[in-house]
Amino acid sequence: MKASDVKAMTDDQLGDELINLKKEQFNLRFQQASGQIENTARVRQVRRDIARIKSMQTARRASAAAS
């Protein structure tokens, strides 16, 4: 997911995507612990996507509070 994709999403879409990514991260952690994970790079990618979404949510809250 690119930063431009995150910027184009609405607040509700960001929340839904964050929930989905958290679930995926949870499942990836279990796969990694049991040695069944196939794509180890996906762990890093999901973690960074979560950070992008949280950063955008924080920026939007800050701009709304400033207005």
Side-chain angles (χ1 to χ4, degrees):
M1 179 180 308
K2 295 182 179 181
S4 59
D5 297 338
V6 175
K7 289 178 184 178
M9 291 183 179
T10 65
D11 291 338
D12 292 335
Q13 288 174 329
L14 286 175
D16 292 342
E17 187 65 24
L18 182 63
I19 291 169
N20 291 336
L21 287 170
K22 288 276 193 176
K23 287 179 184 177
E24 184 178 354
Q25 185 182 38
F26 180 78
N27 291 330
L28 287 171
R29 269 190 272 136
F30 270 98
Q31 288 176 6
Q32 193 170 30
S34 64
Q36 296 177 347
I37 194 165
E38 295 177 9
N39 186 4
T40 56
R42 184 70 182 144
V43 176
R44 181 178 180 183
Q45 189 177 17
V46 168
R47 192 173 65 234
R48 288 182 176 198
D49 287 345
I50 290 171
R52 276 190 196 97
I53 290 174
K54 284 187 171 186
S55 296
M56 183 56 61
Q57 286 177 332
T58 303
R60 287 185 183 179
R61 282 191 202 114
S63 67
S67 297

